């Protein structure tokens, strides 16, 4: 989903972004940021995603400070975090981890 469709919502990435290839190994350089913890998207332009950590587990660490992501992050690899987690209780997440 495009970040533009998630303004005002908690969002999480479904895939990393690729910065290019390593000069020596030729392996893709991937950034998995925002794939495990959601962000609160405030505004999206063609060039930026403006976000903060309000309503997330990270709010206690980062407060309400506003951050920017550049156009590389403005792709179709976002999902509504609350929709993803709907129906899952915090207790059941721990039970699922213990079962594996």
């Amino acid at each position: 989903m495009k970040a533009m469709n998630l303004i005002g919502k908690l969002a999480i990435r479904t895939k990393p972004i690729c910065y290019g290839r390593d000069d020596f190994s030729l392996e893709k350089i991937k950034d998995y940021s925002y794939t495990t913890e959601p962000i609160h998207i405030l505004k999206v332009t063609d060039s930026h995603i403006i976000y903060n950590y309000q309503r997330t587990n990270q709010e206690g660490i980062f407060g309400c400070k506003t951050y920017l992501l550049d156009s590389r992050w403005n792709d179709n690899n976002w999902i509504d975090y609350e929709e993803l987690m709907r129906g899952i209780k915090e207790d059941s997440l721990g039970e699922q981890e213990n079962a594996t």
Side-chain angles (χ1 to χ4, degrees):
M1 179 179 298
K2 284 259 191 206
M4 178 66 75
N5 299 331
L6 295 166
I7 294 171
K9 297 181 179 184
L10 296 181
I12 194 165
R13 290 207 39 97
T14 58
K15 294 181 182 177
I17 67 164
C18 182
Y19 286 129
R21 294 193 179 271
D22 181 275
D23 291 336
F24 297 105
S25 68
L26 300 178
E27 291 181 25
K28 287 183 180 179
I29 302 169
K30 295 180 181 180
D31 186 339
Y32 285 88
S33 298
Y34 318 109
T35 59
T36 59
E37 292 291 330
I39 60 173
H40 178 224
I41 296 182
L42 302 171
K43 184 176 181 178
V44 178
T45 68
D46 289 339
S47 303
H48 295 95
I49 296 173
I50 302 166
Y51 71 99
N52 65 21
Y53 289 98
Q54 211 170 12
R55 299 177 19 223
T56 72
N57 293 336
Q58 304 299 313
E59 184 176 8
I61 298 168
F62 297 106
C64 291
K65 185 177 174 183
T66 302
Y67 298 89
L68 292 172
L69 292 172
D70 64 34
S71 60
R72 292 175 291 189
W73 297 89
N74 198 357
D75 56 19
N76 285 319
N77 295 316
W78 292 95
I79 190 169
D80 183 323
Y81 180 75
E82 291 172 328
E83 187 176 307
L84 174 69
M85 299 303 287
R86 189 167 288 129
I88 306 276
K89 294 180 184 176
E90 288 293 322
D91 293 340
S92 66
L93 286 174
E95 290 171 11
Q96 288 176 2
E97 288 176 1
N98 292 335
T100 58

